[in-house]
Amino acid sequence: MSIRTLAGCVAAVAVGLVIAAPAANADEDPTTVPPRTAISLRTPGGFGWGTANEHESRSALSMSKLYIVDYALRHGDGSPEDRALSERMIRDSDDGAATQLASKYPQAIEATASEYGLRQTHGTADWGRSSTSTADITDFLSAKQRTDPGSPIFEWMAGASNTAADGTPQNWGTAQLPGVQGSKWGWSDVGAPEVASASFGSGFSVAAHTYGSPADQSADVLDALPALIVRLVVGPH
């Protein structure tokens, strides 16, 4: 199994766990994940796991809303409108709210990528055409857990709506893993099916992107990670 230590990570703090490297297990082997899916797992304490394609820059879909919201909350004008739009973007994956906030802060995705060192994340004039990687998403969420655990982003992910603003169910992929406390989803409305999900739990964050359906992603994630997540939540035995 491929396990790497994240360069520059500090020791685990209150929101993290001190993790011993789990023993190799077939259902934790990243080489068994179909290439259609990229998966990354991180802890604030520096543990990392990922498929070989976890650094592949793919369509960010609605994962880019995480970056836009983080910028607006921390560097915006602090207006109630910004906060309301941000909440709709995370809870309901509201595209209209995202367009409004991205228009107000067109630099948000690039600025967030620079601040957090997200090398595969790139913004465009249209937030919906931005790109990122599962490694970048989990590195971002892990950094937030470590440095800003009180961010409303976590509250809104934990209170995500069962159905998005456009009527899409929000219930697949990483959200189905044990120990998950909150999630964000993304999907393409045009062309071939393409979906993403990102979740956090006590001391871990995880993200997946799949060239396929929600069911495809759920199958790939659940085949790869449950035993490892359990180890992170309850510790090695």
Side-chain angles (χ1 to χ4, degrees), residues 33-237:
V33 179
R36 67 187 179 187
T37 295
I39 306 174
S40 299
L41 174 73
R42 302 286 188 270
T43 75
F47 174 86
W49 180 100
T51 53
N53 55 0
E54 68 169 333
H55 293 286
E56 184 177 295
S57 188
R58 299 184 175 193
S59 174
L61 304 172
S62 283
M63 296 299 105
S64 61
K65 292 171 183 170
L66 292 167
Y67 305 143
I68 298 168
V69 166
D70 186 64
Y71 182 90
L73 291 176
R74 297 190 305 110
H75 302 298
D77 61 16
S79 66
E81 180 185 28
D82 280 7
R83 188 177 178 90
L85 291 170
S86 295
E87 182 172 359
R88 285 162 50 193
M89 289 165 65
I90 303 302
R91 288 191 191 272
D92 307 321
S93 201
D94 190 312
D95 288 351
T99 297
Q100 290 184 60
L101 208 59
S103 296
K104 185 174 181 178
Y105 304 113
Q107 73 277 28
I109 296 174
E110 289 288 346
T112 301
S114 177
E115 182 174 357
Y116 289 92
L118 311 179
R119 297 184 178 181
Q120 292 87 45
T121 298
H122 307 285
T124 68
D126 177 359
W127 65 267
R129 297 183 181 276
S130 59
S131 58
T132 194
S133 65
T134 58
D136 278 359
I137 297 167
T138 47
D139 286 347
F140 167 77
L141 289 174
S142 185
K144 295 297 291 181
Q145 287 182 301
R146 187 175 66 249
T147 65
D148 189 17
S151 171
I153 288 174
F154 294 121
E155 175 189 348
W156 297 333
M157 289 175 70
S161 302
N162 292 330
T163 304
D166 70 354
T168 299
Q170 299 191 125
N171 59 0
W172 72 81
T174 58
Q176 298 189 8
L177 288 165
V180 163
Q181 297 173 349
S183 299
K184 177 76 188 77
W185 298 264
W187 56 94
S188 175
D189 295 324
V190 296
E194 184 178 353
V195 297
S197 60
S199 302
F200 74 91
S202 179
F204 73 92
S205 60
V206 59
H209 182 286
T210 300
Y211 294 121
S213 68
D216 291 332
Q217 180 166 110
S218 294
D220 293 347
V221 167
L222 292 174
D223 281 348
L225 286 179
L228 181 54
I229 293 289
V230 169
R231 285 185 174 89
L232 294 180
V233 173
V234 303
H237 293 283

